[in-house]
Amino acid sequence: MSKRIETKNLDIYYGKFHAVQNVNMTIEPRSVTAFIGSSGCGKSTVLRALNRMHEVINGAYVKGEVLLDGVNLYDKKVDPVRVRRQVGMVFQKPNPFPTMSIKENVLAGVRLNNARISGKQADELVESSLKGANLWNEVKDRLDNPGSGLSGGQQQRLVIARAIAVSPEVILMDEPCSALDPISTLAVEDLIQVLRDKYTVVIVTHNMQQAARVSDVTAFFNLEAQGKPGQLIEMGPTDKIFSNPEEKSTEDYITGRFG
Amino acid sequence: MSTAVTTPQEASANSLIAGQLPKYTPWATLLVSLGIAAGLLNSVGHFSITAVALSGIALFLVGMFALSSAVEGIRKAKDRLARQMVSLFFLVALIPLISLIAGVAVRGSERLDGKFFSYSMRNIVGEGGGAIHAVYGTLIITGIATLVSVPIGMLSAIFLVEYGRNGRLARSITFFVDVMTGIPSIVAGLFAYTVFSILFGPGTKTGLAGAAALSVLMIPTVVRSTEEMLRLVSNDLRESAYALGVPKWRTVLKVVLPTSIAGIITGMILAIARVIGETAPLLVTAGLTSSLNTNPINGPMTTLPVFVYYSYVTPGIPQEPYYARAWAGALTLILIVMGLNLIGRLVAWRFAPKSR
Ligand SMILES: Nc1ncnc2c1ncn2[C@@H]1O[C@H](COP(=O)(O)OP(=O)(O)OP(=O)(O)O)[C@@H](O)[C@H]1O
Ligand SMILES: [Mg+2]
């Protein structure tokens, strides 16, 4: 089910602006990898390059390779739509589709692709996905209400449910808990632990404790200087990064001396 | 003044409580101002409703400002002044609109009867007759123009916003669309007339030619309004759909369009409303007839604006019935546009994103 991601000499640009430089890393299947680093250093940018969401922005492009189980995602023959069906994503800001109900939002990935699904299967999928995102109890009586009528934290869990409903191989999460209360955060973290058994999970977070709690591997990104492209400074097992990092700047960041 | 008014001195005792004028003050001031203005103008012998209204309102603004700054403080006084100016200009903007609608309604209702909607002008001289031929003409010609322009316009807008990527082609289309929104309607009429003359022989006047002329006028408006609406749809929504592995065309069809459909429909109604009142291009393309013709590809067709125009500039003898029919035609046109607006609003409301 889950897949290995490798990047080779990955350079990412927004038009003329060189946002991220020379990223080489390997993300193992069935593991949770956390991206940490100060704001603006390119964590979201790298994450979006992993499922070809980066090129959606006008003028944005990528150099280098991203390999998903050995296949280069940026090969000319690769269809970005197929990539995104295997590599799901949860965004920093919750964004349920405003014209759809809660239930329709969960089913959006399936329905928008016109997959045939029986009413019973749909109900089961909605229930299991919402339970997975710890939202079921709050919304089970109003599945037909609009998704944009939920609170911010509920919306975030709704879009997580939406992402797992299409059962991707890899799940990318960009600060999925930044809008959540501690209980929902715990629920999402538990969810990540469950997802680890089946999927490859990559999560961007500003919360060090969260990175330490949920991830197996941590990658630290940083800017050499303002205006310079962001870089991958160090990547390794979470225990090691948090207790005994190789780079001085990693230690400074983790102990809170900057960023 | 003593009971309801708190003076600034009292107010300063508690900084959260400001002095307050009683609710009726503005109305009272307005009445007093108008009274003073009427009295003054009367005594100097220049009494007229307009003069009283203008000077009365000026007095009212000054008076309210003075009263309010004395009792409520300068910030409140400025606030009141600004609010009164805004309401005043709103009312001023309403005057021509209301007087127009009232005027047309009063004069048009005289002949807005069953006969008006069941008779054409065939073999009618003087009294009687109706505009059924013009109503049909308007509905058929505008209907065809809408059926042609809406798909073309919407698809162009979708191309520009979703697929154009701001390339050279997209930019040049945008440029020419902008130019086209500005062409005088008579030019569109002459263009359609020429095309149909070349295709079907000189002097051809048909409803279809009229519809073609209106389409030339409608397409740019539809493109522009749809484009603006599509650009309002946040990119986050497109990205969310892409991230679910939804192909681009489905994202456009099922996420972007439903999100913006209310605005797009409003734009279309406005485009229809713009062309439904056109006279000049229809005169040269669809011509004039006094009998009912429902075949858009054969023979001339009269529309309501053309009917109104001809009834007014070439009345028979006696003139009164012709004028009455012209006003009734104008009222019918306004009613049709209102009806369209209501339908549009209903549809837009039905499809608009809701959060409850
Ligand atoms: N759409 C865009 N167009 C141009 N530049 C962009 C765009 N998005 C991001 N950038 C730039 O790319 C760099 C990296 O941004 P990115 O969003 O990846 O940072 P981040 O590490 O995710 O930050 P945060 O922790 O605040 O989310 C920043 O300098 C940013 O200004
Ligand atoms: Mg980010």
Side-chain angles (χ1 to χ4, degrees):
Chain A
M1 269 290 263
S2 69
K3 299 204 165 176
R4 165 181 314 190
I5 304 173
E6 262 174 287
T7 70
K8 289 195 177 151
N9 306 324
L10 188 65
D11 278 274
I12 314 178
Y13 300 81
Y14 289 98
K16 288 204 181 70
F17 179 63
H18 193 174
V20 179
Q21 189 180 25
N22 198 26
V23 175
N24 288 289
M25 63 171 150
T26 305
I27 297 169
E28 293 295 336
R30 275 188 280 286
S31 72
V32 177
T33 303
F35 287 4
I36 59 172
S38 53
S39 188
C41 65
K43 304 176 298 292
S44 302
T45 306
V46 172
L47 197 72
R48 291 165 58 93
L50 301 183
N51 67 343
R52 294 198 57 173
M53 287 298 290
H54 181 66
E55 65 204 48
V56 168
I57 295 166
N58 250 342
Y61 62 97
V62 165
K63 281 184 185 165
E65 292 183 352
V66 176
L67 305 173
L68 188 65
D69 268 5
V71 181
N72 181 13
L73 299 185
Y74 286 91
D75 194 290
K76 284 232 157 42
K77 281 173 281 183
V78 168
D79 176 4
V81 170
R82 285 169 185 269
V83 172
R84 294 176 200 141
R85 285 185 186 168
Q86 297 192 7
V87 186
M89 182 156 196
V90 174
F91 295 82
Q92 198 163 350
K93 274 180 285 178
N95 41 18
F97 295 122
T99 52
M100 298 181 193
S101 69
I102 293 172
K103 181 175 169 183
E104 285 166 341
N105 258 292
V106 177
L107 293 174
V110 181
R111 284 270 165 80
L112 283 179
N113 280 313
N114 259 16
R116 293 257 166 261
I117 174 168
S118 75
K120 189 154 165 285
Q121 279 174 311
D123 288 344
E124 281 169 13
L125 183 60
V126 169
E127 182 168 349
S128 64
S129 306
L130 285 172
K131 276 187 174 151
N134 193 33
L135 187 61
W136 175 249
N137 285 330
E138 283 153 77
V139 301
K140 62 175 184 256
D141 301 321
R142 45 171 172 155
L143 292 175
D144 293 320
N145 287 13
S148 40
L150 296 175
S151 80
Q154 290 171 328
Q155 289 187 15
Q156 186 65 303
R157 280 174 286 153
L158 177 61
V159 301
I160 292 176
R162 183 174 74 187
I164 57 182
V166 291
S167 38
E169 317 262 339
V170 179
I171 298 182
L172 310 174
M173 298 187 176
D174 196 345
E175 296 181 42
C177 301
S178 58
L180 299 189
D181 67 286
I183 293 175
S184 309
T185 302
L186 269 184
V188 172
E189 287 178 9
D190 288 346
L191 171 65
I192 292 172
Q193 296 308 328
V194 175
L195 295 176
R196 184 217 313 264
D197 298 338
K198 285 204 270 176
Y199 309 101
T200 308
V201 181
V202 183
I203 171 173
V204 173
T205 177
H206 280 291
N207 182 332
M208 296 301 141
Q209 289 83 6
Q210 182 172 59
R213 277 195 302 265
V214 302
S215 70
D216 308 304
V217 178
T218 298
F220 172 63
F221 290 83
N222 202 4
L223 291 170
E224 205 172 300
Q226 269 317 319
K228 292 265 182 64
Q231 288 174 328
L232 174 62
I233 302 294
E234 184 173 356
M235 182 170 181
T238 299
D239 308 340
K240 178 159 180 299
I241 295 280
F242 276 87
S243 60
N244 187 17
E246 315 230 310
E247 300 286 331
K248 176 92 170 49
S249 58
T250 314
E251 191 178 338
D252 287 349
Y253 182 75
I254 285 166
T255 51
R257 239 162 277 164
F258 73 85
Chain B
M1 283 276 271
S2 58
T3 49
V5 176
T6 342
T7 64
Q9 286 76 18
E10 287 172 47
S12 65
N14 181 344
S15 62
L16 288 180
I17 297 172
Q20 221 172 9
L21 287 171
K23 279 238 163 55
Y24 56 80
T25 324
W27 299 110
T29 321
L30 184 62
L31 275 182
V32 172
S33 312
L34 285 173
I36 295 176
L40 277 179
L41 282 165
N42 207 9
S43 63
V44 295
H46 282 294
F47 188 84
S48 79
I49 299 284
T50 332
V52 170
L54 286 181
S55 45
I57 287 170
L59 267 179
F60 164 71
L61 291 177
V62 174
M64 273 310 292
F65 189 79
L67 259 181
S68 170
S69 56
V71 178
E72 299 179 317
I74 189 76
R75 188 180 64 77
K76 271 278 198 173
K78 284 186 196 158
D79 174 55
R80 273 184 191 272
L81 183 66
R83 261 197 277 174
Q84 282 153 0
M85 297 293 274
V86 171
S87 331
L88 189 65
F89 283 113
F90 171 69
L91 289 179
V92 168
L94 275 187
I95 290 172
L97 188 68
I98 288 180
S99 65
L100 184 143
I101 291 185
V104 177
V106 168
R107 301 206 208 179
S109 52
E110 184 189 329
R111 268 307 318 274
L112 205 72
D113 45 27
K115 208 168 182 193
F116 189 77
F117 291 109
S118 45
Y119 278 73
S120 70
M121 285 301 289
R122 191 181 174 90
N123 297 333
I124 301 276
V125 178
E127 298 273 341
I132 185 68
H133 59 308
V135 172
Y136 267 101
T138 290
L139 293 181
I140 292 173
I141 291 180
T142 323
I144 296 176
T146 309
L147 285 183
V148 172
S149 318
V150 164
I152 295 182
M154 266 183 75
L155 291 177
S156 319
I158 289 174
F159 168 78
L160 288 176
V161 176
E162 306 290 336
Y163 294 90
R165 284 221 149 199
N166 244 341
R168 193 169 298 163
L169 181 61
R171 265 177 308 171
S172 46
I173 293 181
T174 309
F175 175 74
F176 284 114
V177 166
D178 281 348
V179 172
M180 268 176 75
T181 37
I183 59 170
S185 57
I186 184 66
V187 176
L190 291 174
F191 165 76
Y193 175 74
T194 318
V195 170
F196 275 74
S197 289
I198 293 170
L199 292 181
F200 304 104
T204 324
K205 301 218 171 184
T206 58
L208 195 62
L214 293 191
S215 300
V216 173
L217 291 170
M218 256 182 100
I219 291 173
T221 350
V222 174
V223 174
R224 288 301 290 164
S225 58
T226 311
E227 206 187 329
E228 295 306 325
M229 287 303 134
L230 292 178
R231 283 192 204 285
L232 283 183
V233 176
S234 124
N235 264 327
D236 297 350
L237 290 183
R238 294 189 180 88
E239 292 185 353
S240 304
Y242 295 157
L244 291 168
V246 180
K248 184 159 185 164
W249 68 273
R250 255 192 230 286
T251 306
V252 171
L253 203 64
K254 301 212 171 158
V255 175
V256 178
L257 280 180
T259 308
S260 55
I261 194 73
I264 294 178
I265 291 174
T266 308
M268 268 163 212
I269 301 281
L270 288 180
I272 296 176
R274 173 174 186 265
V275 298
I276 204 168
E278 284 295 347
T279 317
L282 291 172
L283 267 178
V284 294
T285 49
L288 178 72
T289 171
S290 54
S291 29
L292 177 61
N293 172 18
T294 52
N295 183 353
I297 53 173
N298 186 18
M301 222 184 225
T302 302
T303 59
L304 278 168
V306 173
F307 171 80
V308 170
Y309 176 73
Y310 265 98
S311 307
Y312 227 90
V313 295
T314 60
I317 298 171
Q319 297 181 339
E320 283 67 35
Y322 289 85
Y323 289 159
R325 281 194 295 265
W327 283 107
L331 182 56
T332 313
L333 195 58
I334 291 182
L335 290 178
I336 292 179
V337 173
M338 272 184 180
L340 274 176
N341 259 304
L342 283 181
I343 296 173
R345 269 166 195 264
L346 220 63
V347 174
W349 171 81
R350 172 75 188 71
F351 287 112
K354 296 178 190 65
S355 63
R356 305 258 103 251

